[in-house]
Amino acid sequence: MTTTAACGADEPAPPTPVRGVTKVSQLVLPFDAYKTTPEQRAVLGNAHNHLVVRCMRKQGISVAPPAEDPAELAAVDPGNSRRYGVTDTEAAKRHGYHLARPPSPDTTGAWATKLPKRTRHRLYGTAADRGCLDRATLTLDKGARKADWPWLSLQDSLTLEQAAKHPSVTAAIKRWQSCMSQAGHSYPAPEAAIADGRWNLDEAAVSEEERQTATADTTCKWSSGLVAAWYAADAELQRAVIRDNPGRFAALRANLRQRLSRASRLLAEHEGGQVR
């Protein structure tokens, strides 16, 4: 990774300018262009549901999987708001370190567990005989260019981890630590703050102490330049990965476009209207 000259011995300059990155909504990364939006996930999910219903009907079984609502999917999508720990100050004031959004619904799993055993068997299948869930996925994927989505997920994790080690980020963490100390909170790093045993993130209740600590945490992340520096290093690494792997990313984009086109056609046939 290329870095710019340091402004001082203890505070290396960020790898790219960070002016304007002052709020959560601006944390848009290069890899995001290759990920599905909530609207796209709804199209793919509802087309998959339609194929499952059709597959099960051929076996004499009627099922009604829950529809995917794009608004609901958007509501539970945190985007990059927690990629660098808690960064939304307004959410921290209300929810502390707890998730500000409801947990993502496991619609297929929750629905399927209530079905009769025979129905679930046909739905999930076996190693020797694919179930309707797998068959629906194969139908959506048919004809689409092969793409390595697990590879993208791995790169997404790696750029985050590597960016955390950039000198501009480690210098910002020291400033964050000093800021938190002045606010009455002694933590060596942001990870220690959210992992504090005083917060029970599995329970719904949020203490006032947690809210105050999380608010100070997010405020210090921005004032210290930690979010901006981490985001800049992360974005630079992602741009480099895209630049060095044009074939992989072209395949990802083509694969998604082709699956969406097939899903849209299936839903249009089923519902009598084009789905974008």
Side-chain angles (χ1 to χ4, degrees):
M1 180 173 60
T2 303
T3 58
T4 57
C7 294
D10 296 326
E11 297 184 9
T16 54
V18 296
R19 184 179 303 168
V21 182
T22 59
K23 54 186 178 181
V24 171
S25 62
Q26 296 171 332
L27 300 178
V28 180
L29 290 161
F31 284 0
D32 293 346
Y34 297 88
K35 299 176 181 178
T36 54
T37 65
E39 292 76 15
Q40 290 171 334
R41 289 198 293 276
V43 170
L44 292 169
N46 286 322
H48 189 269
N49 285 343
H50 173 60
L51 289 169
V52 167
V53 169
R54 195 166 69 183
C55 173
M56 295 291 281
R57 187 183 297 133
K58 289 180 180 179
Q59 301 183 59
I61 302 173
S62 295
V63 295
E68 298 285 1
D69 180 358
E72 182 179 282
L73 290 174
V76 301
D77 186 352
N80 293 320
S81 66
R82 292 176 72 98
R83 185 170 176 87
Y84 313 113
V86 290
T87 56
D88 188 330
T89 304
E90 291 305 311
K93 290 177 181 178
R94 299 190 301 273
H95 305 283
Y97 287 107
H98 282 63
L99 285 170
R101 296 168 176 80
S104 180
D106 181 14
T107 50
T108 299
W111 163 71
T113 56
K114 302 174 184 178
L115 297 174
K117 185 176 180 179
R118 175 175 175 270
T119 302
R120 281 187 281 115
H121 176 74
R122 293 295 184 183
L123 195 66
Y124 288 104
T126 64
D129 182 18
R130 290 183 183 275
C132 284
L133 288 175
D134 279 350
R135 292 182 185 182
T137 298
L138 289 172
T139 299
L140 280 180
D141 288 348
K142 187 176 181 180
R145 183 174 175 181
K146 298 296 182 183
D148 195 345
W149 293 100
W151 176 84
L152 179 62
S153 296
L154 175 61
Q155 299 307 310
D156 201 26
S157 298
L158 288 176
T159 64
L160 176 65
E161 294 173 7
Q162 292 167 2
K165 300 173 184 176
H166 191 276
S168 66
V169 178
T170 56
I173 288 176
K174 292 179 181 178
R175 295 193 295 272
W176 172 90
Q177 185 181 19
S178 176
C179 176
M180 286 291 281
S181 181
Q182 291 176 23
H185 308 287
S186 296
Y187 295 105
E191 294 84 355
I194 193 171
D196 193 317
R198 291 178 297 170
W199 332 133
N200 188 343
L201 303 184
D202 293 326
E203 296 292 333
V206 183
S207 68
E208 183 58 31
E209 187 175 22
E210 180 187 335
R211 290 191 183 94
Q212 291 178 357
T213 305
T215 301
D217 185 353
T218 56
T219 300
C220 287
K221 276 199 179 89
W222 288 104
S223 66
S224 66
L226 176 55
V227 178
W230 204 343
Y231 167 78
D234 198 8
E236 182 175 282
L237 283 165
Q238 291 196 2
R239 284 191 291 271
V241 174
I242 293 171
R243 184 177 62 247
D244 294 342
N245 298 273
R248 283 181 180 269
F249 283 92
L252 290 169
R253 180 161 283 167
N255 174 273
L256 177 57
R257 183 174 61 248
Q258 290 162 346
R259 286 189 295 121
L260 281 170
S261 178
R262 179 179 286 268
S264 180
R265 288 197 304 271
L266 283 166
L267 289 177
E269 293 169 2
H270 177 60
E271 300 170 358
Q274 182 67 27
V275 178
R276 294 182 182 272

